[in-house]
Amino acid sequence: KRRTDACTAQKRRPPNCFRRSSTTIIPRAMAAAVAAAFGASTAGEVENKNKKTRKSNKLPTRMVVETAMLAAMTGLSFHLSASFRLETYLGSLFPLPIVVASARWGDVAAWRTLLVAFLLLTLLSGPLRASNYACLHGFTGLALGMCWKRKFSWVQSVPISALARTIGVFSSLAISSLVIRENVLRLMVQQVYALIDQICATLGATFVPNMTAILCVAFVFVILNSLSYTLILHLVYSIALVTATPDGNFSNAPLKVRRSLGLPSAFMQ
């Protein structure tokens, strides 16, 4: 009877591979809890970092709205002025929205305004007129906004913006030449040469300048035109940007210029 009881007890006893002592269960449970806690903390940190990066990548809603409005106003005004032949009278106002965007939100907003206005003009007026706007007015506005945002003086900003305007003029001529498949600059020089030849023949003069001299004079006149144009923009925008910028003197106008323009005395510090 004792042997049978011992055999039944031995049969009911679980094998050694399934035995677990309390000393092994507790450390494993603690290790699992610690691992779960650290895993949750690292996952939470990663999620918080992702949220921060998403928030940093998002643009402010007000900046997006203002950029869209300025680009739409620029595109429509340029399209209507070109349709009604008013570009000569309103040419100094076309770079203004890009400068306002740069003054309020920085260089990124200025680039976005130019890009959206270019796309809008491409749909409304075609790629040739859109490229003319970008070359003649867009890059000039970008140059002005970048110079004034970095607090450049007029001695520096006027030549830089005039250089951007000069490059834009010749770029516009190059694009027009590619579209019509004819050298527009050479045609203009030939017309000027024919006009000067006719004037000299009428006056009885025997001296006629060559084509190279006429081309050099044309370059000089384009540079002078760009300098005078950008100087006028500096004067006009010094008045126009008083209420559009927080400090009221985004154009960094000298004190004598501000006094002569009659700007408020609060901005003459």
Side-chain angles (χ1 to χ4, degrees):
K1 190 176 180 179
R2 290 179 180 175
R3 288 180 181 177
T4 55
D5 292 339
C7 290
T8 55
Q10 188 175 2
K11 289 180 180 178
R12 291 177 182 176
R13 189 180 299 172
N16 293 329
C17 61
F18 293 103
R19 293 181 183 177
R20 291 184 181 178
S21 63
S22 61
T23 57
T24 58
I25 292 174
I26 293 174
R28 290 182 182 178
M30 291 177 62
V34 171
F38 277 104
S41 63
T42 54
E45 290 177 359
V46 171
E47 188 175 357
N48 291 331
K49 287 181 180 179
N50 291 333
K51 287 182 180 180
K52 289 180 181 179
T53 53
R54 288 173 186 172
K55 288 182 180 180
S56 61
N57 292 332
K58 286 183 179 179
L59 296 174
T61 305
R62 188 173 179 180
M63 187 190 84
V64 175
V65 173
E66 289 185 6
T67 302
M69 291 179 63
L70 290 171
M73 182 180 66
T74 305
L76 290 176
S77 61
F78 186 80
H79 175 69
L80 293 176
S81 64
S83 301
F84 293 102
R85 306 296 181 184
L86 299 175
E87 188 177 0
T88 306
Y89 305 101
L90 302 177
S92 60
L93 299 178
F94 295 136
L96 181 59
I98 298 176
V99 177
V100 172
S102 178
R104 295 182 65 85
W105 299 103
D107 299 337
V108 178
W111 279 104
R112 288 178 180 271
T113 304
L114 175 59
L115 180 61
V116 175
F118 177 80
L119 294 176
L120 181 61
L121 283 171
T122 303
L123 296 175
L124 292 177
S125 306
L128 179 59
R129 191 161 290 177
S131 61
N132 286 334
Y133 164 76
C135 294
L136 296 176
H137 306 288
F139 294 129
T140 305
L142 281 176
L144 288 172
M146 289 179 180
C147 291
W148 290 342
K149 194 71 177 178
R150 289 159 179 78
K151 302 297 181 181
F152 286 179
S153 63
W154 282 24
V155 179
Q156 297 172 324
S157 61
V158 170
I160 292 173
S161 54
L163 179 62
R165 170 76 176 183
T166 304
I167 295 173
V169 169
F170 289 110
S171 299
S172 177
L173 290 176
I175 293 172
S176 301
S177 301
L178 288 175
V179 171
I180 66 174
R181 296 182 180 180
E182 191 69 35
N183 194 344
V184 178
L185 184 61
R186 186 178 65 183
L187 290 176
M188 294 172 62
V189 172
Q190 288 177 355
Q191 293 295 325
V192 172
Y193 179 80
L195 179 63
I196 294 175
D197 190 12
Q198 186 177 1
I199 292 174
C200 291
T202 304
L203 296 177
T206 58
F207 173 76
V208 178
N210 54 8
M211 300 287 289
T212 306
I214 294 175
L215 187 61
C216 294
V217 171
F219 273 103
V220 172
F221 274 110
V222 169
I223 293 172
L224 292 176
N225 186 7
S226 301
L227 286 171
S228 61
Y229 176 76
T230 53
L231 184 59
I232 292 172
L233 290 186
H234 277 68
L235 295 173
V236 173
Y237 291 172
S238 297
I239 302 173
L241 295 175
V242 169
T243 57
T245 54
D247 56 352
N249 187 25
F250 180 70
S251 62
N252 299 319
L255 183 60
K256 293 182 180 180
V257 175
R258 283 181 279 168
R259 286 176 178 173
S260 61
L261 294 175
L263 296 178
S265 58
F267 306 127
M268 296 184 183
Q269 296 176 358

